């Protein structure tokens, strides 16, 4: 299975941008890059996904490297509510099957 | 009301007991999943179902069974619970279309003494 590598934890200040990196050097051509986040005491929540082009939605932006071996989730203005574990996951062949790694725990300081 | 509802939210039970966790959804999705999460780790897939009466094993199915008798319901059973099955359990759903996100319930915290 294609794996992703993320830092264990990151810190940010409130109202500043946050860039969460993810490496996926064994990604295949049909794998989509998905991001989920898990707030304390809740189930994971879908954030964004992409294949090759950068993507934007109301929650975040996803920047994908040209060779697709890495990507970055961008929160444009972190709030305290954004403190969560963020998971970068490869959706194999767009088949909706997800394999979770350890994720990045984002801490947001007031 | 939540789109994906798990019951119970918390359960404490003893070794050897049979336990059933229930998941129901109002999203009209065909696909349903059961995951387990241990402290500090990501989720691991136990079983999944793509349609009524369709059952597929995930990464860690030993010691668990599931039932999908209706589109909206997917239940997870532990026939004879053991302490190392103490964990947080999540149910999720997705549509059958390609590359659609999964939608998760708020989890069941299960403790086996």
């Amino acid at each position: 299975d294609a794996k992703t590598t993320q830092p264990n934890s990151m810190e940010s200040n409130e109202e500043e941008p946050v860039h969460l990196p993810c490496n996926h050097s064994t990604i295949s051509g049909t794998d989509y890059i998905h991001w989920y986040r898990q707030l304390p005491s809740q189930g994971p929540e879908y954030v964004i996904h992409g294949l090759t082009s950068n993507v934007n939605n109301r929650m975040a932006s996803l920047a994908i490297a040209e060779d697709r071996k890495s990507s970055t989730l961008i929160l444009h203005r972190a709030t305290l509510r954004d403190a969560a574990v963020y998971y970068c996951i490869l959706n194999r062949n767009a088949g909706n099957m997800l394999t979770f790694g350890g994720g990045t725990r984002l801490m947001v300081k007031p | 009301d939540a789109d994906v509802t798990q019951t119970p939210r918390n359960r404490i039970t003893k070794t050897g007991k049979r336990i059933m966790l229930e998941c129901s959804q109002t999203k009209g999705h065909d696909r349903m999943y059961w995951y387990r999460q241990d402290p500090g780790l990501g989720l691991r897939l136990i079983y999944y179902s793509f349609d009524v009466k369709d059952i597929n094993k995930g990464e860690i199915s030993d010691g668990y069974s599931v039932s999908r008798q209706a589109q909206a319901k997917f239940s997870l059973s532990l026939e004879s619970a053991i302490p190392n099955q103490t964990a947080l359990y999540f149910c999720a759903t997705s549509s059958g279309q390609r590359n659609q996100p999964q939608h998760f319930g708020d989890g069941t915290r299960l403790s086996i003494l």
Side-chain angles (χ1 to χ4, degrees), chain B residues 51-70:
Chain B
D51 204 346
V52 175
K53 299 194 178 174
D54 174 67
I55 301 295
N56 303 281
K57 292 183 177 181
E59 180 188 351
I60 53 164
S61 58
D62 287 349
Y64 302 94
S65 63
V66 291
S67 175
R68 182 92 185 272
Q69 297 296 321

Side-chain angles (χ1 to χ4, degrees), chain A residues 35 37 45-48 56-61 73-77 81-82 86:
Chain A
W35 283 81
R37 72 179 185 180
E45 172 189 31
Y46 167 77
V47 177
I48 199 167
N56 300 295
N57 67 20
R58 63 174 180 80
M59 290 181 70
S61 296
L73 180 72
I74 302 165
L75 307 179
H76 294 286
R77 203 161 158 268
R81 195 192 174 277
D82 291 321
Y86 287 78

Side-chain angles (χ1 to χ4, degrees), chain A residues 32 34 36 38 49 94 96, chain B residues 31 37 95 97 99-100 102:
Chain A
Y32 279 74
H34 281 231
Y36 284 74
Q38 187 174 19
H49 75 271
N96 302 356
Chain B
R31 300 184 176 195
Q37 186 174 33
S95 79
Q97 296 177 356
N99 204 37
Q100 291 303 298
Q102 292 186 16

Side-chain angles (χ1 to χ4, degrees), chain A residues 9-20 74-84 86 105-110:
Chain A
S9 63
M10 291 185 63
E11 266 190 11
S12 171
N13 294 317
E14 196 177 11
E15 299 188 4
E16 290 186 356
V18 182
H19 291 230
L20 297 164
I74 302 165
L75 307 179
H76 294 286
R77 203 161 158 268
T79 69
L80 296 178
R81 195 192 174 277
D82 291 321
Y86 287 78
R105 181 173 298 278
L106 175 66
M107 292 167 280
V108 180
K109 296 183 291 185

Side-chain angles (χ1 to χ4, degrees), chain A residues 24-41:
Chain A
H24 28 78
S25 58
T26 60
I27 192 170
S28 72
T30 55
D31 288 346
Y32 279 74
I33 302 157
H34 281 231
W35 283 81
Y36 284 74
R37 72 179 185 180
Q38 187 174 19
L39 301 170
S41 302

